[in-house]
Amino acid sequence: SILDLLLAFTAAASLLFVSTTKSSLHNNSVPDPEIQRRVYADKTLARFFDPKSVTPRNSNPIHVQNPINHDSSVVRKNCQVIYVLGVEGSIHHGFMPVIKSLAEQQVDPITGTPYQVVKGHDALRAAIFGSKHNTDVPMNDPHLVQSTLDQMCPSPHESWKHHVIIEGNSFPSGGADNEKLDFRVRRQWDWIDMTPNEIASSESALNHPTNLHQFYDAYGPYVDIKFIVLHRPYVETIASHLGFDRGPEGHSNVISGFMILLSQFLMGHMYSGPAVDAEDDKNNMGGAPLWTIVCADKLSLKQYDTEEQLDGAREHVLGYLANFLGWPQRSCPQCFDKWKESNKASVEERMNTKTANTLWEHAKALEGVWPPRRREDDFLEQQCGM
């Protein structure tokens, strides 16, 4: 009958559907090997900041223990790292209290919350310079970066808090034989016998006391990093450590190498954001200025006829620094309370004429390289002399 035919047809169709579905499910459970490899690779590489750090060992899936949670490494607009950048002898010890005092004057204009200021945060210093616990851990290790951020910065959700971390190890730093220092790479005796250009391009100098390129690439995406370049007249810089590096000429050679190294970094990082082509960086293809310069000699009474002139110059310097750093308070009457004028004999009295002339030749060789210059630094107090 017609009813029997309909029932038979329905049963046959049901069997065909079940068979087809099982076959489809079975076939889909084993994807194309090439598709499977690509999907796996995409998921694996996404766990790393640098895809080049992934080295496939075999065709089996790579198990990554405790992958870092990138969602927690968010931009922290309320966390600022200021690196006072300069070679050895640039009067870091005199300027650091000035910038720290200026930072401590800052108060959030909306909430009235004072900025929390730390000079030399232990976690950051251990991360970027090295420590007994992590000398073998790369500075850009994702877990180390995340741990450092968590220790030195407020929560991204606590927008009313502002943390300012000030760092200032000079280039170079410490002695080659100082066992107490935990730098990943220490000062090298070999630098004395190298040319300044060889020093600037050497692996050891690029990583001492820290690798600026790695530091900025690792932390720049998450916190506000600013560099204050500290410059002091060349011969005075060398004369401040006449006994280093086997004497004035050897020390001058090493300092020249690090001036070239620092200049190369600064010229390649004119503006905030990822490093770009040097010509584009000069044309401000990035963001806000990443660094500004302070002429240390412009902060000294020796440069002026009256204390009123000195006070005016210092006020200008504090003003442009506050503006550069995005700080609301630009006045700081007590910022120079700990500043001490040098009472050392003149450079000419501390070395013979032959040595002084040699150092001047070294200084001339750096013309156009150091001090670094940028068009935004147009204050009179920022026109540094060599």
Side-chain angles (χ1 to χ4, degrees):
S1 67
I2 295 177
L3 180 60
D4 292 335
L5 289 173
L6 288 173
L7 291 173
F9 177 77
T10 301
S14 299
L15 288 173
L16 179 61
F17 173 77
V18 171
S19 175
T20 302
T21 301
K22 286 182 178 181
S23 176
S24 174
L25 290 172
H26 175 72
N27 290 337
N28 287 339
S29 66
V30 185
D32 183 324
E34 177 62 17
I35 295 176
Q36 187 180 35
R37 185 189 67 80
R38 290 179 182 176
V39 170
Y40 170 72
D42 289 343
K43 290 182 177 180
T44 302
L45 293 178
R47 294 174 178 174
F48 294 83
F49 283 127
D50 182 2
K52 296 188 293 296
S53 66
V54 182
T55 305
R57 299 181 183 275
N58 50 49
S59 58
N60 297 324
I62 303 172
H63 176 65
V64 180
Q65 294 186 357
N66 302 321
I68 187 170
N69 179 10
H70 289 275
D71 292 337
S72 61
S73 296
V74 296
V75 176
R76 304 177 189 231
K77 296 180 180 179
N78 52 354
C79 191
Q80 187 176 48
V81 177
I82 301 167
Y83 201 117
V84 179
L85 195 64
V87 296
E88 200 168 47
S90 299
I91 318 186
H92 283 79
H93 66 279
F95 181 75
M96 293 291 279
V98 174
I99 192 64
K100 182 173 183 287
S101 294
L102 182 60
E104 291 171 340
Q105 293 295 303
Q106 307 307 313
V107 176
D108 185 285
I110 299 177
T111 66
T113 305
Y115 286 19
Q116 181 174 326
V117 182
V118 177
K119 175 181 172 290
H121 195 286
D122 289 341
L124 180 63
R125 292 180 67 84
I128 67 176
F129 300 125
S131 73
K132 295 178 181 178
H133 305 291
N134 63 8
T135 49
D136 296 327
V137 179
M139 187 193 339
N140 55 2
D141 176 81
H143 295 280
L144 178 60
V145 172
Q146 179 60 45
S147 173
T148 305
L149 290 172
D150 290 342
Q151 292 179 68
M152 73 177 183
C153 295
S155 166
H157 307 295
E158 296 176 314
S159 58
W160 64 91
K161 291 184 179 180
H162 294 267
H163 283 200
V164 176
I165 298 93
I166 303 173
E167 186 48 65
N169 260 349
S170 64
F171 288 72
S173 285
D177 301 323
N178 191 337
E179 297 292 336
K180 295 181 180 180
L181 298 177
D182 295 321
F183 293 135
R184 288 184 178 86
V185 178
R186 293 181 183 175
R187 193 188 198 111
Q188 304 292 307
W189 285 115
D190 293 348
W191 295 337
I192 302 172
D193 301 316
M194 298 166 67
T195 68
N197 281 316
E198 288 173 340
I199 295 171
S201 60
S202 68
E203 194 70 18
S204 56
L206 285 168
N207 288 283
H208 173 84
T210 189
N211 187 309
L212 289 171
H213 301 270
Q214 288 186 11
F215 163 60
Y216 183 67
D217 290 346
Y219 291 89
Y222 307 114
V223 298
D224 178 24
I225 295 179
K226 295 290 187 183
F227 294 96
I228 298 176
V229 181
L230 196 57
H231 170 75
R232 185 183 188 185
Y234 186 83
V235 177
E236 290 185 18
T237 300
I238 306 304
S240 66
H241 296 98
L242 289 174
F244 283 26
D245 301 311
R246 298 175 188 159
E249 295 185 25
H251 186 52
S252 176
N253 189 65
V254 172
I255 293 300
S256 292
F258 275 91
M259 283 181 171
I260 295 172
L261 184 154
L262 293 181
S263 178
Q264 290 173 343
F265 170 77
L266 294 168
M267 291 300 105
H269 296 78
M270 297 286 284
Y271 299 92
S272 59
V276 296
D277 179 81
E279 191 61 35
D280 286 342
D281 220 12
K282 289 180 183 178
N283 295 324
N284 194 2
M285 299 296 287
L290 183 62
W291 57 271
T292 192
I293 196 164
V294 169
C295 310
D297 59 322
K298 306 292 187 183
L299 304 176
S300 173
L301 181 59
K302 295 179 182 179
Q303 296 292 312
Y304 307 96
D305 296 327
T306 66
E307 290 192 6
E308 288 75 16
Q309 291 177 342
L310 172 63
D311 292 341
R314 288 177 171 179
E315 187 176 341
H316 288 163
V317 172
L318 295 176
Y320 78 67
L321 284 176
N323 182 63
F324 164 70
L325 296 168
W327 293 350
Q329 182 62 34
R330 303 184 181 186
S331 177
C332 181
Q334 72 276 25
C335 271
F336 287 88
D337 285 355
K338 295 182 180 180
W339 180 275
K340 294 182 180 180
E341 294 289 337
S342 175
N343 56 8
K344 291 183 179 179
S346 67
V347 172
E348 292 77 14
E349 293 175 318
R350 281 181 279 164
M351 64 181 73
N352 59 52
T353 303
K354 181 181 177 181
T355 300
N357 289 338
T358 299
L359 299 188
W360 278 116
E361 290 301 318
H362 290 182
K364 291 177 183 178
L366 291 166
E367 186 176 351
V369 175
W370 196 268
R373 304 185 188 279
R374 61 183 311 136
R375 63 172 178 260
E376 294 92 348
D377 289 346
D378 55 2
F379 283 93
L380 178 63
E381 292 79 12
Q382 292 179 297
Q383 310 314 304
C384 304
M386 192 57 169

